[in-house]
Every structure is written in C-alpha cells, then in structure tokens.
Amino acid sequence: MSQPSTFDLVVIGGGPAGYVAAIRAAQLGKTVACIEKERPGGTCLNWGCIPTKALLKTADLLDHIRHAEDFGIKINGTVQIDLPSIIQRSRSVADTMAKGIEYLFQSKKVHHIAGHAQITSPTQVTITPQQGGAPTILQTRYILIATGCKPRPFPGLPADAPNVWTSKEAMLPSALPRSLIIIGAGAIGVEFAYFYNALGTKVTLIEAMPQLVPQEDHEVAALLEKEFTKQGITVITQAKTENIQPTDQGVNVTLSAPTPQNLSAEKLLLAIGVIPNLDGLLAPSVRIELDAKGYIKTNDRYQTSIPTIYAAGDIIGPPWLAHVASHEAIEAVEGLFIPGKKPHKITTTPACTYCQPQIASIGLTEKQAKEKGLRFKVAKFPYRASGRAVASGEPEGFVKLIAGEPHGEILGAHIIGAEATELIAELSLAIQLEATLDEIHTTIHPHPTLSEMVAEAALAAKGAAIHI
C-alpha cells in the first residue's frame, strides 16, 4: 500500500452533502479529501435532481407546443420526438454541472479521489480504486459520511429483473416504451409519470396510500390526480401490490386492492422509496450506532456515536432532499471548525415536485394542524383569478396558507400550479422570520406576477382578497 496521506477532514460521498461539506471545509482553510465512486455531484447531480429536470423541461416544452394554437401559433406537420437527443441533452446538463464541481474542487484545493471508501478506524479511510490497483490509506482528524441512499427494492424481486427500472434506468431508455407501470406516487413516481405520458407512453401510476404525493396536503393531492387523469394517466390509489412478474416481453403486476386485478406493461418503474447506502463502508471493527431503519444516528452537531465521525444528508434519514443535505453538511463542518458555532436546528423544510402542475410546500398541512389541536385558519387563492396565470395559459392551481390564530403566523403553505417551486421561497422565508398574514399582504408584490397570489391568499384569510 502507498504511504498514508493526512487530512483535517475526509468526506465520503460527493453528492449535495459531500461536495458542499468539502468545499466549506476548504473555505475554512482545512485540508480536505472527498471520496466518490463516480464523479462529483452524487446521485442528485448525475442521476437525480438535475438531469431529471432537463427531461421534465422537454416534456413541458412538448406540452406547450401541442397547445401552441391556443396562443395563436400554428404548427404545420407533426411534432416528432427524438428520444436519443432528449436523453443526450439530459446527460449533457449533468456533465456540465459535474465539471463545475470539479472546477470548484480544484480552485478550493479539495482533493477529489475516485474509488470505494471504507472506514477502517475512527481516523483512517482506505480507498480501493474503481479500476483496480493498490489501495490508498488516508489519515484524518475527522470523517464525514455523506453516502446517501439507494432505491428500495421490491421484496423478492431480483435486482436485475428484466424490464424493471429504478429511476436511473428510467433516465436512460433505449426506446420509448408503449406502456409503463409506476409503483409509488411520491415525487419520483409522479415526475416520471408526467414525463413519459407527455412523450406518448401509456402510464399507470399505482400508490399504496389513499392519495398521490402522500406527504402533501390533501387538496393538493386531489387536484394533482384530477390533472393527471385529464392528461391521460391512469391513477390507482390505496393499491396493494401483491406480485411483480417480469417476462421477456414486459412485466405483469397483481394488485389485491382496492380491487383484485392484473396489469401488464412493457416496463415497470419502482419508485417505492429509498434505503440507506452503507455498502462496504464500515470495517467490522468500526461500529457506528444506527436507528431501527438502518440510518446513521447523529446528535444536533451531526456527530455519530464515534466522536471523530460525522454524518449528513440522506444517510441520516428523512427528509431526503438535496437542499436539506447541503444545509446539514455546512452545519456539520462549521460546527467542527468554527469555535463557538452553535448548531442551527432545522424546523421546516420546503419540498418541491416538478411534474406539471408543479407542487411546493412547507410546514404543516391542514390535517397536521388539526391533529396537533392548533387554532388556525385556512386561506386559498386560485390561479385562475391571477391575470398572469391566465395570460400564460396556466390557470389551474391554488395557493393555500395555514395561519395560526390569533396572530396570523404562517404555519404551512401549499402551492400547486405553474412555477410553484419558485413561489415557495417567499413562504419559506416567512416561516423562518415568523412573519404574519398582515406582514405578507402589506408587502407590495409586483404586478402582474404569480407572486401576487401569495399576497392575495394572505388577504383571503381576512375575507379581504380583492380578486375573488
């Protein structure tokens, strides 16, 4: 083996937690190595958040083209889909962003090492190169684990079952399937349902819970199901999947609820959640405390049961969101290297789903507020009362606010409709600053914009909305 190298911090994993942690530590003048099996960016940048948004942009553009006559534009001839070019653009976007992180590593003097890392002691990491060769040993003051999660398998189904996809395979189809069954209607499931349906695939979306996007407000989920049904997506909720039988020609699925039925399609996408990714990470002598589901336990400073080892991001459990992972990583690093730094507790986190209509939310749902026994009021403002939404041809959706009484502080916000994922930032800041309905509606919002709906929703809580 080669001679050990010594660092202040070794980060294992190059995703939104890992690369951000490495860069922040380097900014603080520390010597840092970031270990990643592939290239920097992790699942989010290479196989998740970023390239999927490139695919969804194609679907969105295609939908606008099909409705071009609504805007006075006539298109002669058929609209043709070039699937290889669609996929190549998505990969190109990921490539560009990954190169950007590589540049940041170089400029900040972060040592990026490709390979599989194993923690062999509280201050030692052994790296096995992906292409073979002698392992490298790194000595370090601290270790930060940011290895994220991997797709949850379906019980009893082989990992290499034919015609069964995870989200990664769904991003790289060699041909457009005529039919697709998606099991799981969280963010991943509904985004791929929208994408493939827009391209012409017959999509069946199956969810075990009573509603699509189970973590979202019930009215948001109901409108999404209505819109998906209008788009031609078959939606089945409260569905118990008993069996998945892959064949050379496709996949057969047996449901026992809500009514027994057999379904078949060319491809099946499993989007039933994730599990922690600790494959080969810990040597037998390194025993870190895990929770009941296998996620790494940490304290409020992201320290594990081994004092020199920290963890951040999806590997410490939900919410599995890139922006949460990055925040946790920065908090962990600053807590390590900035004297007197107090940990910032995450209380509320925005969640975004990029199908059409888009969904964005933060804080309590109406149901959760009721379950907590809180005094609150609900205010809604519809997109179709917004001049900007109607002018843009996107009148479906609403802004919904949950506000405490008697002071009107924002307890939750739920948006479904065009650019919902951009509008949520204002309400995230409102919750962070403990802003009230009065403070939101007395803040002048520019006209004509979609953001005016937030102010109008705040007015609606007082029965004073102008445009409804």
Side-chain angles (χ1 to χ4, degrees):
M1 294 186 179
S2 59
Q3 291 298 315
S5 300
T6 301
F7 294 89
D8 292 313
L9 177 67
V10 169
V11 180
I12 303 175
Y19 84 77
V20 168
I23 290 172
R24 184 66 188 119
Q27 289 175 334
L28 294 172
K30 307 304 175 182
T31 54
V32 187
C34 183
I35 318 304
E36 171 59 51
K37 290 189 293 185
E38 297 185 65
R39 62 185 181 183
T43 296
C44 176
L45 190 152
N46 292 298
W47 301 108
C49 314
I50 302 302
T52 56
K53 302 311 163 283
L55 297 177
L56 291 167
K57 182 62 179 179
T58 293
D60 189 34
L61 178 59
L62 183 58
D63 186 55
H64 278 78
I65 291 171
R66 287 170 174 159
H67 292 87
E69 289 197 14
D70 295 344
F71 296 84
I73 300 172
K74 293 186 177 182
I75 298 175
N76 295 321
T78 60
V79 176
Q80 296 183 337
I81 295 170
D82 183 350
L83 184 63
S85 294
I86 293 171
I87 303 304
Q88 178 55 43
R89 178 179 178 273
S90 171
R91 301 316 309 154
S92 177
V93 169
D95 291 344
T96 297
M97 301 309 296
K99 289 176 182 176
I101 296 176
E102 290 171 353
Y103 168 77
L104 289 172
F105 276 180
Q106 292 173 2
S107 65
K108 308 296 183 186
K109 295 182 172 55
V110 172
H111 297 265
H112 169 232
I113 304 174
H116 183 276
Q118 183 177 67
I119 301 173
T120 47
S121 86
T123 57
Q124 182 174 282
V125 177
T126 300
I127 303 162
T128 303
Q130 291 290 89
Q131 305 302 323
T136 300
I137 296 176
L138 305 183
Q139 297 289 347
T140 180
R141 290 172 59 197
Y142 299 105
I143 297 168
L144 177 70
I145 300 172
T147 51
C149 290
K150 58 184 179 180
R152 178 182 297 280
F154 188 85
L157 188 68
D160 58 350
N163 297 313
V164 176
W165 286 345
T166 65
S167 56
K168 184 174 182 179
E169 288 81 30
M171 294 180 61
L172 300 170
S174 57
L176 189 66
R178 289 189 297 272
S179 56
L180 172 67
I181 294 171
I182 300 175
I183 300 180
I188 293 174
V190 300
E191 287 181 0
F192 276 112
Y194 169 71
F195 171 73
Y196 276 99
N197 180 71
L199 267 60
T201 296
K202 176 56 182 174
V203 175
T204 301
L205 181 59
I206 299 171
E207 171 54 49
M209 301 297 287
Q211 65 177 52
L212 302 183
V213 285
Q215 302 302 316
E216 299 293 345
D217 184 87
H218 68 284
E219 290 188 294
V220 167
L223 181 55
L224 179 65
E225 181 171 346
K226 176 184 174 183
E227 291 300 309
F228 267 20
T229 301
K230 283 169 56 178
Q231 293 171 23
I233 298 169
T234 299
V235 174
I236 306 174
T237 55
Q238 301 188 75
K240 180 174 175 56
T241 303
E242 290 289 349
N243 186 48
I244 297 173
Q245 184 61 52
T247 70
D248 291 338
Q249 290 74 39
V251 182
N252 299 320
V253 176
T254 302
L255 302 181
S256 62
T259 57
Q261 58 181 309
N262 296 315
L263 306 173
S264 61
E266 280 189 23
K267 301 290 183 183
L268 180 142
L269 168 59
L270 283 176
I272 56 176
V274 295
I275 57 176
N277 182 20
L278 289 171
D279 297 345
L281 178 68
L282 305 174
S285 59
V286 179
R287 298 178 181 177
I288 291 177
E289 187 177 0
L290 308 178
D291 69 13
K293 294 184 177 180
Y295 293 97
I296 295 176
K297 280 189 174 183
T298 62
N299 61 19
D300 61 357
R301 302 184 73 86
Y302 302 96
Q303 186 180 48
T304 72
S305 57
I306 298 177
T308 56
I309 301 178
Y310 289 67
D314 291 358
I315 194 62
I316 67 173
W320 302 287
L321 299 168
H323 43 282
V324 173
S326 295
H327 180 89
E328 291 172 347
I330 291 173
E331 284 294 305
V333 168
E334 291 185 348
L336 269 174
F337 297 121
I338 297 179
K341 172 71 164 62
K342 294 182 179 179
H344 170 255
K345 185 178 180 180
I346 299 175
T347 54
T348 54
T349 302
C352 298
T353 305
Y354 296 83
C355 54
Q356 290 296 341
Q358 290 184 8
I359 297 170
S361 63
I362 187 169
L364 298 178
T365 64
E366 184 177 350
K367 179 182 177 182
Q368 290 167 340
K370 289 178 181 177
E371 290 172 347
K372 288 179 177 289
L374 301 177
R375 292 178 59 203
F376 66 95
K377 62 177 67 177
V378 177
K380 288 175 62 178
F381 188 84
Y383 268 60
R384 62 180 59 257
S386 161
R388 176 61 189 274
V390 174
S392 299
E394 298 172 311
E396 298 301 327
F398 58 80
V399 176
K400 178 176 181 178
L401 303 182
I402 314 295
E405 291 195 301
H407 304 297
E409 70 278 12
I410 307 302
L411 302 175
H414 309 275
I415 309 174
I416 180 169
E419 305 302 333
T421 57
E422 300 295 335
L423 294 175
I424 200 65
E426 174 183 352
L427 291 159
S428 300
L429 184 61
I431 290 179
Q432 179 71 19
L433 298 179
E434 300 181 354
T436 65
L437 294 169
D438 286 343
E439 288 169 325
I440 289 175
H441 76 69
T442 55
T443 298
I444 296 177
H445 290 67
H447 175 78
T449 64
L450 296 177
S451 68
E452 289 175 290
M453 294 187 292
V454 175
E456 288 261 26
L459 277 170
K462 304 174 66 175
I466 301 300
H467 293 96
I468 54 173

